[in-house]
Amino acid sequence: PLEEKYALVRGMVIKIAKRSFISVDVFGRENLPEKDGYIVCPNHQGKYDGHAILYSSERPISFVVDEKRSHGLLVSDFLDLMEAERLVKTNPKKCIESFNRVKANVSERGMNYCIFPEGKHCKNKKLVCYGAGEHFLTVLRKYKKHEKQFSN
């Protein structure tokens, strides 16, 4: 089951963080919906934000990621275990299919997803083009958008 696979990934992320002397302070869990089946769209992506989300989320959460960036060391295995959705950004038809799968997983299976609208971390601190990820999902789903502000 997804819960067991997620626990394995989260446990490894926590071990990696501790052995790297990284500590994560978690604030705002009470702002997440009580019921599973939600989508989190942070306003930006930092280098370690994905790790921090895994570290802090006790309930399973998966990601929508750029297919090109999803084949790194351990990354591919972690994404497979979390049933992440890989997005082929150069093919609009495949993008729509991916978002339809996310929509079905959220509404039918109660899965939780995180989508970074910017799509990637930029090392030189320049603004990154805003991706259409959040807007695709808002158009596709038939339930209300849960809007709450989260702070870093």
Side-chain angles (χ1 to χ4, degrees):
L2 180 61
E3 290 79 13
E4 290 177 17
K5 294 187 282 186
Y6 180 77
L8 175 67
V9 171
R10 184 170 182 257
M12 291 183 74
V13 166
I14 290 171
K15 281 182 185 176
I16 291 168
K18 286 182 180 178
R19 291 193 177 162
S20 302
F21 304 102
I22 296 171
S23 65
V24 178
D25 295 325
V26 180
F27 302 95
R29 273 195 191 125
E30 67 278 1
N31 294 321
L32 291 172
E34 292 177 17
K35 185 178 175 188
D36 283 336
Y38 61 83
I39 299 168
V40 176
C41 297
N43 62 345
H44 69 283
Q45 180 177 5
K47 194 170 189 177
Y48 301 106
D49 287 0
H51 304 90
I53 289 169
L54 285 172
Y55 188 101
S56 63
S57 182
E58 295 167 349
R59 295 174 2 210
I61 189 165
S62 193
F63 295 87
V64 176
V65 295
D66 182 358
E67 198 276 332
K68 289 181 188 175
R69 302 175 61 87
S70 69
H71 299 289
L73 180 65
L74 289 179
V75 173
S76 185
D77 296 325
F78 283 3
L79 293 175
D80 288 343
L81 285 169
M82 293 187 305
E83 300 179 26
E85 188 63 41
R86 289 176 166 91
L87 194 62
V88 181
K89 291 199 241 177
T90 57
N91 186 329
K93 182 178 179 183
K94 287 189 177 185
C95 281
I96 297 283
E97 291 169 357
S98 291
F99 284 119
N100 279 329
R101 280 191 296 273
V102 169
K103 175 189 167 192
N105 285 337
V106 169
S107 60
E108 296 167 15
R109 293 178 59 201
M111 284 182 69
N112 305 318
Y113 279 93
C114 177
I115 301 173
F116 291 102
E118 291 176 346
K120 68 177 183 177
H121 167 70
C122 187
K123 292 180 185 177
N124 59 9
K125 298 186 180 184
K126 290 186 179 179
L127 288 176
V128 180
C129 290
Y130 188 80
E134 180 184 7
H135 298 297
F136 265 119
L137 288 166
T138 303
V139 169
L140 289 173
R141 57 188 177 174
K142 295 179 181 176
Y143 45 88
K144 286 186 179 180
K145 187 175 179 180
H146 181 82
E147 292 194 29
K148 285 197 177 181
Q149 291 295 102
F150 300 92
S151 61
N152 291 340

